[in-house]
Amino acid sequence: MNSPIMIACAHGTSNTQGAAEVNALRAAIAELRPGLDVREAYVDVQQPDLVDVVAGLPEGEAAVVVPLLLSVGYHVKVDIARAVKSRPDSAAAAPLGPDPRLARLLDQRLREAGTTDNDVIVLAAAGSSNPNAAVSVEELLRQLQELRSNRIVAAYGASAKPSVPDAVAMLREELEGGAGAGESAGAVDVGGRVVIASYLLAPGFFHDQLAKAGADVVTEPLLPSPVLADIALDRYDAAVATMNGTPAEAPAAAPLEAAAPAPAAPAADAQEGGIFKALRRFVTKYFPR
């Protein structure tokens, strides 16, 4: 049986470089998975439109729409969902973010830009009217905070608050010890800079706006990077597994989840006596679930 067609669906941009970067991402996906039919589609600005691509699929062929987008938002919840619902044997994968690999890539971009421990960082996302998008960005922010000691706040280019310029202004006031600094400025060393970490896939309108937000440094977008192709294929594989009804048969995370209750074991042991306690410990140690 052939693998389902992958429809690698991006937002779309009028920026020539940005469009080229996204096309290169599709090519990288196809290169990593020889024989996989990877098709181009967009939800805005560019053609072919996702609806037309889905409608033009060969009859009887299964397909998975992989959003080349960084968070759940209107395009995922509405545009992609409608396109998938319009055709049998099609499914939508999760967007690329959040993902710890994206946090590591952002950390790499920050290091490439010369970011120091004294700097403060605005994690700049495109923004969406869908509150789930902000939840995704906040999760990515937490992942980035595990990698860096800097003060980091999330901000948005549109449809959500704070805006990137407002976040830049707030952090600059903190650096200068202004009235808005408050207790949160305690961990910020005087002399640092305001750095925008571009949580955007490629050059385009939103990335261009970051240069006007008043920061000292703006990092490059996430592309180009092979990490994005790996994540896209992981999202595709997860969606295919769901279509085939296989997740319940092979829950990869089950061993870790099963181990979670282990800290409660000592309390249970305290209620057991002598040989039963020793036997329980032996089984737990040498025959873990």
Side-chain angles (χ1 to χ4, degrees):
M1 180 179 177
N2 293 333
S3 297
I5 295 167
M6 177 196 283
I7 302 175
C9 181
H11 179 276
T13 178
S14 58
N15 183 289
T16 303
Q17 182 184 352
E21 295 284 9
V22 173
N23 283 331
L25 172 56
R26 290 193 187 91
I29 293 169
E31 185 176 355
L32 285 174
R33 190 69 58 87
L36 178 62
D37 188 348
V38 181
R39 303 200 177 187
E40 177 183 13
Y42 303 92
V43 291
D44 201 358
V45 184
Q46 287 181 259
Q47 297 293 326
D49 184 80
L50 174 62
V51 173
D52 296 333
V53 172
V54 171
L57 291 172
E59 187 174 352
E61 290 276 358
V64 172
V65 179
V66 176
L68 302 184
L69 304 167
L70 294 172
S71 61
V72 174
Y74 181 87
H75 293 306
V76 172
K77 287 292 188 179
V78 178
D79 294 328
I80 292 176
R82 283 176 179 170
V84 166
K85 189 177 180 180
S86 71
R87 186 182 185 281
D89 299 321
S90 61
L96 302 178
D99 191 286
R101 289 168 288 184
L102 293 179
R104 291 194 290 270
L105 180 54
L106 276 170
D107 180 51
Q108 177 184 329
R109 292 287 182 264
L110 286 163
R111 286 185 279 108
E112 290 169 352
T115 307
T116 72
D117 292 341
N118 292 339
D119 297 331
V120 291
I121 299 170
V122 176
L123 177 63
S128 171
S129 58
N130 188 309
N132 289 325
V135 172
S136 296
V137 174
E138 290 293 338
E139 174 60 24
L140 194 284
L141 183 146
R142 286 190 289 272
Q143 293 168 350
L144 184 59
Q145 286 174 326
E146 293 177 359
L147 302 175
R148 304 196 64 92
S149 62
N150 306 78
R151 171 147 159 73
I152 311 173
V153 299
Y156 305 90
S159 304
K161 294 185 180 301
S163 70
V164 174
D166 285 349
V168 169
M170 178 190 72
L171 291 182
R172 188 162 312 279
E173 189 172 19
E174 288 188 4
L175 286 176
E176 296 171 353
E183 295 179 0
S184 62
V188 179
D189 291 333
V190 176
R193 302 167 301 169
V194 179
V195 177
I196 293 178
S198 178
Y199 187 43
L200 301 169
L201 203 60
F205 174 79
F206 283 118
H207 185 75
D208 290 343
Q209 298 308 302
L210 299 184
K212 307 173 185 177
D216 299 300
V217 178
V218 179
T219 69
E220 294 297 318
L222 299 177
L223 286 173
S225 170
V227 169
L228 278 301
D230 289 333
I231 296 174
L233 283 169
D234 286 348
R235 300 295 187 260
Y236 169 83
D237 289 340
V240 171
T242 299
M243 292 173 73
N244 294 337
T246 57
E249 301 172 12
L256 291 177
E257 293 172 359
D269 286 345
Q271 300 175 13
E272 299 173 6
I275 188 169
F276 296 101
K277 182 186 295 185
L279 179 61
R280 183 181 180 89
R281 287 175 176 169
F282 177 85
V283 171
T284 300
K285 181 176 181 180
Y286 293 103
F287 299 94
R289 293 182 179 181

